[in-house]
Amino acid sequence: MEQLNRIEIRGNVGAVRLQVVGNSRVAKISVATNYVYKGRDGDPVIETTWHYISAWEGKNMPDLTTIHKGDKISVTGRLRSQRYTAADGTERTAYDVLASKVAIIETDDFLQYEF
């Protein structure tokens, strides 16, 4: 059986934080995706999910300094979990996406939802 850990996200950038690690840079990017469905009353309901992306500069990456809040991006990568102990002493698990490819999407190419 082949194992696969791959995730694709297309959404809106909420925040970007650049960090220097050794001789490389990494961008920590929050991306919002929306899932739209009709509620019981027939009105559209928008469910927003925030994803946290780690993108290291290099192959398949744009210049990380060109990614800004409000941009629409497409991310391909793998899901990674990290366990940590919170300030209150409880053990928690955080999930983020380790990006292998990031692309900035032109507004005309962004998927539009219709009801």
Side-chain angles (χ1 to χ4, degrees), residues 29-107:
I29 308 166
S30 61
V31 176
T33 58
N34 293 323
Y35 179 75
V36 181
Y37 61 94
K38 288 185 181 180
R40 289 184 179 171
D41 57 2
D43 291 335
V45 177
I46 301 173
E47 179 182 289
T48 301
T49 302
W50 286 95
H51 310 274
Y52 301 96
I53 315 293
S54 296
W56 291 84
E57 70 181 346
K59 184 179 177 185
N60 294 325
M61 298 292 169
D63 178 1
L64 298 176
T65 62
T66 63
I67 301 172
H68 303 289
K69 180 178 181 174
D71 286 347
K72 294 167 181 22
I73 65 171
S74 174
V75 177
T76 303
R78 66 180 176 90
L79 192 59
R80 175 174 65 174
S81 64
Q82 297 179 0
R83 301 191 91 181
Y84 66 96
T85 304
D88 63 2
T90 59
E91 283 220 9
R92 299 199 180 176
T93 303
Y95 294 92
D96 68 331
V97 175
L98 185 56
S100 57
K101 182 177 181 181
V102 174
I104 299 172
I105 301 172
E106 298 300 321
T107 306

